Every structure is written in C-alpha cells, then in structure tokens.
C-alpha cells in the first residue's frame, strides 16, 4: 500500500509524529512527500541546523571539516538550480524553532549564505519565521557566524556552553549579540545561563522581558540593562563567584535608575557583594514580587540600609530568599505582603524575638524556611524549640510549607506525650533540618508532632544526637547521626494509631 493511498490529512498526521530529523529525510524522498512535509506544523518541531542543511543532499565528513557539501556543485548558480536547494528553500521558510548543536566550518556556513544571497538580499533572514533559536557555543567558529539565521520574528534566543576556550572570545559573542539585536528587535526572552560571558550589552534588546545570565555580570551591563529594557520582567544572574573590575561604573553610574516592570530578580552568590549592593541601592523596582540575593559579604549596617530601601521601593514583594550572616531579621516584618520567606544565616543570628516579629506581622505566609550555616550551637541559649513551632502555628494560619532546625527540645523533655498549645491548620509539608533529639524520646516526640501538625502529608528530617555540631551533611560522623527514617515512620505510624485528623478533614 502506497503512502498516498491514505488521505493526505492522515499522512500529514503521521508525519507530525516523527522526530524532526526523520521528517526532514521524508522531505527529500520526492516532490509529493516534500509537499506533505511542508504541511506539517513546523512550530512544534525543534530542528537541528545540520539536519535542515542535509536536505541539500548527502553530506560527506572530511578531515578537519564536519560536512563536505561545499564542493558538490560546480557553482552557486548550479547549486540553486538543484532539487536539493528547492527543497531547502521551502523548508527554511517554515522553520520556527532551530537548534545549532553540531558545529559547521566557516567554509560550510559561507557556502550556505552564498546560496541564500543568490536568490535574495543579504538583509533577509535565512529562517524568516524563526521564533526560537538555541545555540551551543562550544567549538563553534569565531567570530560568531550565525547572526544571518534569524530575523524580526525571533522572540527567544538561548546561548549555552562556552566552556572551551570561550572566555577569550567573549567580545566576539558580545558583538554578535549586538548584530542579533539589530536584526531581531522583537526578542523577548534571552537565556545565556550556561555561557561564561561578561560585559554584555543587553540594552539593545528593547523588547526584552526575560533575561537569564550565567557568568560574570558587570555594573556597566546593569546600567545598560536599566536604560534599554523598560519592559523587563524577570532577571536571573548566577555564578557570580568573582567580581568584575568595574569600580569606576559603581562610583560614576546613576544614583537612581529603574526597571519599572521587573517582577522577579535573582542574583546568585557574589564574592564581595559590590554588584548586589549597587543594584539594590540604585534601582527602583516598584512591581517587584520575588527577590533572591546574597548579602553575606556585606556588613550588618549596610545590609540593613539596603533592605530599608527595598522596603520603600518594592512594597509588593511576595517572595524573598535572603542569604546573610547577622542581619536584623526582625526588620523583614515590614514586608506584609510576603507569602514565601527563605532565610539563610548563622544560627546565632536568629533569635526567637526577631523571627517572632516576622510571624506576628506577616500573617499570610504560606512557606517559611530558616537554615543556618556551619556553626557550633550555644546550648545555654536554645533558639529553636517545640515551643517556637507552636508560636509559628499561632501566628501563621495560612502556612503550608515549613522548614526550620530544631536545635534542642525543651529541657527536660519528658517521656509523656505533651499537648501542644496550638496546631497547624493547613501545613502540608514539614522539614526539621536538622532535628537534635535523644533516641529514647523519638516516639514521644512523634506523638507530639502528630498533634501539632495533623494535616502534614510530607515529613523530612535529618536526626542528630543532641550534642552534635551542625556541619555539611558529608561531614557528620556516624556517632552523631541517627536513623532519620525511624522518626519519619514514627510520625505517620502514631497518626494511624488514632491521632486526631479533624483539621485535615476540615481543610479537605
């Protein structure tokens, strides 16, 4: 039975279920198959450039070259008159998603450009309908040769790689992105989160809404971003392990600038905090909803001053992830719209009074996480006890996720099951990281937790002996570690033995 004994719409439906590479091979079978392939919804396929160019005809690998189709025709005019080019010419105009994973030589790339320019102006994009472009920078020719691919339809570009000799070529990529900005002014999403590039001027992308950048990011780049991208909504910058020598821009840059539409800002670890400090000190972000920053390199007074500015400039903040050493945590109580709060600091920097102020003034918290760095605990002044859990239960009626350490139980913890003064009404996930506890009172404490958290469906913990010193998980000795699975099993076992689940039934 021939394929075209099927109704055309059925045949196209079959083609739609093929991988892009196989679909492109089908387009080379004959003119009928090519026409059917053109009816496929190409916007649902992410095509590899090498596979697309394979439509020209069989390609032969050669020494020091990836593909050898550059010598297949006697001239460019002969090539554009071939059936292979006619198939490619139709298909390239249909492609909406393209991936450049395998590298080509400059000789091959220039040959493709010569073919295109033989039939249309060099101002035209090779894939005029392209909306998404993904490029693996590792091993690609320099300077960046693919700016001819996309045109005004491009809305999303993803650069990755750059780990092989690419640091020295950052200027070439910066230049290429400037060309892309001119040819593709409608780009809204730019992801360079796995590329080691720096000093990039993203300000040329005036329609940009989402930026993910991995690697160094200079103050100059931030100034250009604020000046050129007024529609920006999400910025993620990570892997800022070393600061860039950009101190002149810090001192001479604008004292006040704005990203009026920004809703999410995440700046991952920095070395001395200069970049983060500059951003928070100078940038007005009135629509900001989510903020993730590392203030650990900064001093107490500077950190407090920066967050005073954030409170006044970003009153709508709903999610805050903050890394610091000894900040005035109680000052976060003024962020009354917070729904998610994640705090990372030294154990001794958290006091029940400070955290209590947050709980008492931020009633709509749904997620609270408190985690400490490696630090020995002062046993004479326990910070996190079961009583503190009850304080959270009393003040945060909406909370559904809770992760805190319990560095000590009450002193003494009796063998009789205690009744909590309050209970969580909506808590679904509880993590006690870590839980310092005597093995002999595990079952008693499990019964207490079951009464305190009757709606919990997920429980995780790392159980340690009471005198164990907090360390990274791989540094905890076998003598200090207890079997965490026992505590987890006990909690759900005692509930099945008759602990009230009325709050869970009320919630459901």
């Amino acid at each position: 039975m021939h394929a075209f004994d099927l109704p055309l719409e059925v045949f196209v439906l079959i083609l739609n279920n093929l991988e892009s590479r196989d679909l492109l091979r089908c387009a080379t079978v004959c003119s009928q198959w090519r026409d059917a392939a053109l009816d496929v919804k190409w916007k649902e396929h992410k095509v590899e450039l090498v596979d697309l160019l394979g439509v020209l005809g069989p390609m032969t690998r050669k020494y020091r070259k990836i593909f050898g189709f550059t010598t297949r025709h006697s001239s460019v005019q002969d090539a554009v008159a071939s059936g292979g080019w006619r198939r490619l010419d139709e298909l390239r105009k249909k492609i909406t998603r393209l991936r450049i994973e395998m590298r080509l030589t400059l000789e091959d790339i220039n040959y493709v450009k010569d073919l295109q320019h033989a039939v249309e102006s060099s101002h035209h994009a090779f894939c005029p309908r392209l909306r998404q472009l993904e490029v693996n920078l590792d091993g690609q020719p320099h300077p960046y040769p693919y700016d001819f691919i996309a045109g005004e339809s491009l809305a999303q570009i993803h650069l990755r790689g750059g780990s092989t000799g690419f640091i020295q070529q950052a200027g070439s990529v910066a230049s290429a992105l400037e060309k892309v900005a001119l040819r593709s002014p409608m780009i809204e999403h730019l992801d360079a989160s796995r590329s080691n590039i720096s000093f990039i001027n993203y300000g040329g992308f005036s329609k940009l809404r989402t930026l993910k950048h991995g690697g160094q990011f200079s103050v100059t780049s931030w100034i250009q971003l604020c000046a050129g991208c007024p529609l920006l909504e999400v910025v993620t910058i990570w892997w800022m392990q070393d600061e860039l020598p950009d101190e002149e821009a810090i001192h001479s840059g604008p004292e006040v600038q704005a990203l009026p539409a920004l809703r999410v800002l995440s700046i991952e670890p920095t070395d001395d905090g200069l970049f983060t400090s500059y951003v928070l000190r100078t940038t007005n972000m009135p629509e900001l909803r989510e903020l993730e920053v590392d203030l650990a390199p900064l001093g107490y007074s500077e950190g407090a001053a920066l967050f005073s500015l954030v409170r006044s400039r970003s009153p709508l903040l709903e999610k805050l992830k903050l890394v610091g050493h000894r900040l005035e945590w109680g000052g976060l109580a003024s962020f009354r719209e917070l729904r998610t709060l994640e705090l990372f600091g030294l154990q001794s920097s958290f006091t029940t009074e400070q955290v209590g102020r947050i709980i008492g003034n931020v009633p709509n918290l749904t997620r609270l996480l408190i985690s400490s760095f490696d630090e020995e605990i002062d046993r004479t002044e326990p910070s996190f006890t079961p009583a503190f859990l009850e304080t959270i239960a009393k003040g945060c009626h909406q909370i559904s996720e809770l992760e805190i350490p319990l560095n000590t139980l009450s002193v003494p913890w009796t063998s009789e099951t205690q009744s909590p003064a309050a209970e969580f009404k909506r808590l679904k996930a509880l993590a006690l990281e870590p839980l310092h506890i005597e093995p002999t009172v595990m079952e008693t404490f499990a019964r207490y937790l079951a009464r305190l958290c009757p709606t919990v469906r997920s429980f995780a913990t790392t159980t340690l002996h009471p005198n164990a010193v907090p360390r990274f998980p791989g540094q905890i000795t076998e003598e200090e570690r207890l079997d965490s699975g026992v505590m987890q099993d006990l909690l759900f076992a005692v509930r099945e033995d008759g602990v009230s689940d009325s709050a869970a039934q009320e919630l459901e």
Side-chain angles (χ1 to χ4, degrees), residues 239-284:
W239 197 42
M240 291 268 298
Q241 294 298 333
D242 300 308
E243 297 291 338
L244 291 170
D246 205 19
E247 294 188 8
E248 182 178 348
I250 293 176
H251 298 298
S252 63
E255 295 184 3
V256 178
Q257 53 195 341
L259 286 174
L262 193 67
R263 298 175 64 87
V264 179
L265 174 60
S266 175
I267 304 175
E268 286 289 336
T270 57
D271 188 13
D272 57 18
L274 290 177
F275 177 81
T276 302
S277 175
Y278 177 82
V279 169
L280 296 183
R281 176 168 49 84
T282 65
T283 312
N284 186 17

Side-chain angles (χ1 to χ4, degrees), residues 233-360:
E233 297 177 359
V234 178
V235 175
T236 301
I237 303 170
W238 67 283
W239 197 42
M240 291 268 298
Q241 294 298 333
D242 300 308
E243 297 291 338
L244 291 170
D246 205 19
E247 294 188 8
E248 182 178 348
I250 293 176
H251 298 298
S252 63
E255 295 184 3
V256 178
Q257 53 195 341
L259 286 174
L262 193 67
R263 298 175 64 87
V264 179
L265 174 60
S266 175
I267 304 175
E268 286 289 336
T270 57
D271 188 13
D272 57 18
L274 290 177
F275 177 81
T276 302
S277 175
Y278 177 82
V279 169
L280 296 183
R281 176 168 49 84
T282 65
T283 312
N284 186 17
M285 300 171 282
E287 295 296 323
L288 194 64
R289 300 299 199 276
E290 299 182 19
L291 177 62
E292 178 180 348
V293 289
D294 181 1
L295 299 184
L298 304 180
Y300 174 89
S301 58
E302 185 176 2
L306 286 175
F307 260 84
S308 177
L309 287 173
V310 174
R311 282 196 297 271
S312 62
R313 291 173 172 173
S314 304
L316 303 178
L317 203 62
E318 296 178 354
K319 180 178 180 180
L320 176 60
K321 180 178 179 180
L322 181 58
V323 179
H325 283 320
R326 300 182 183 277
L327 299 176
E328 173 51 60
W329 304 104
L332 302 177
S334 59
F335 291 98
R336 298 185 58 83
E337 300 299 321
L338 280 180
R339 301 293 187 274
T340 298
L341 181 59
E342 301 179 10
L343 305 178
F344 299 82
L346 294 177
Q347 181 86 45
S348 59
S349 71
F350 296 106
T351 66
T352 54
E353 291 78 15
Q354 289 180 344
V355 180
R357 283 168 54 192
I358 298 173
I359 294 168

Side-chain angles (χ1 to χ4, degrees), residues 394-407:
K394 291 177 183 178
C396 299
H397 302 296
Q398 305 298 322
I399 200 161
S400 60
E401 297 180 62
L402 177 63
E403 179 176 338
I404 66 170
L406 280 191
N407 63 342

Side-chain angles (χ1 to χ4, degrees), residues 19-30 33 51 55:
E19 295 292 333
S20 60
R21 176 178 298 182
D22 297 327
L23 182 58
L24 289 168
R25 288 173 178 169
C26 289
T28 66
V29 172
C30 64
W33 283 52
D51 295 334
V55 175

Side-chain angles (χ1 to χ4, degrees), residues 105-253:
T105 64
L106 279 175
E107 183 181 359
D108 290 334
I109 295 169
N110 290 332
Y111 180 69
V112 173
K113 293 166 71 174
D114 288 341
L115 294 180
Q116 179 199 358
H117 298 164
V119 298
E120 63 186 15
S121 167
S122 61
H123 297 294
H124 290 79
F126 186 73
C127 297
R129 295 187 182 181
L130 193 66
R131 292 190 56 79
Q132 297 180 24
L133 176 61
E134 178 181 333
V135 184
N136 183 357
L137 298 168
D138 283 331
Q140 296 291 353
H142 301 296
Y144 178 84
Y146 298 113
D147 55 297
F148 75 99
I149 290 287
E152 293 185 355
S153 295
L154 190 65
Q156 179 175 330
I157 184 170
H158 181 188
L159 303 177
R160 57 188 177 86
S163 61
T164 308
F166 190 71
I167 298 177
Q168 294 80 7
Q169 302 294 337
S172 299
V173 176
S175 175
L177 281 178
E178 290 178 2
K179 296 178 183 178
V180 171
L182 293 175
R183 297 193 61 141
S184 306
M186 304 306 290
I187 287 181
E188 297 181 355
H189 308 283
L190 201 162
D191 187 340
S193 59
R194 286 187 287 173
S195 302
N196 193 4
I197 55 182
S198 57
F199 286 108
I200 299 299
N201 180 9
Y202 291 116
F205 297 92
S206 61
K207 304 297 183 183
L208 197 63
R209 293 183 181 274
T210 301
L211 173 62
K212 295 181 180 180
H213 177 98
Q216 311 313 317
F217 201 88
S218 67
V219 168
T220 298
S221 294
W222 182 262
I223 294 171
Q224 293 166 338
L225 197 69
C226 292
C229 305
L231 303 180
L232 203 58
E233 297 177 359
V234 178
V235 175
T236 301
I237 303 170
W238 67 283
W239 197 42
M240 291 268 298
Q241 294 298 333
D242 300 308
E243 297 291 338
L244 291 170
D246 205 19
E247 294 188 8
E248 182 178 348
I250 293 176
H251 298 298
S252 63

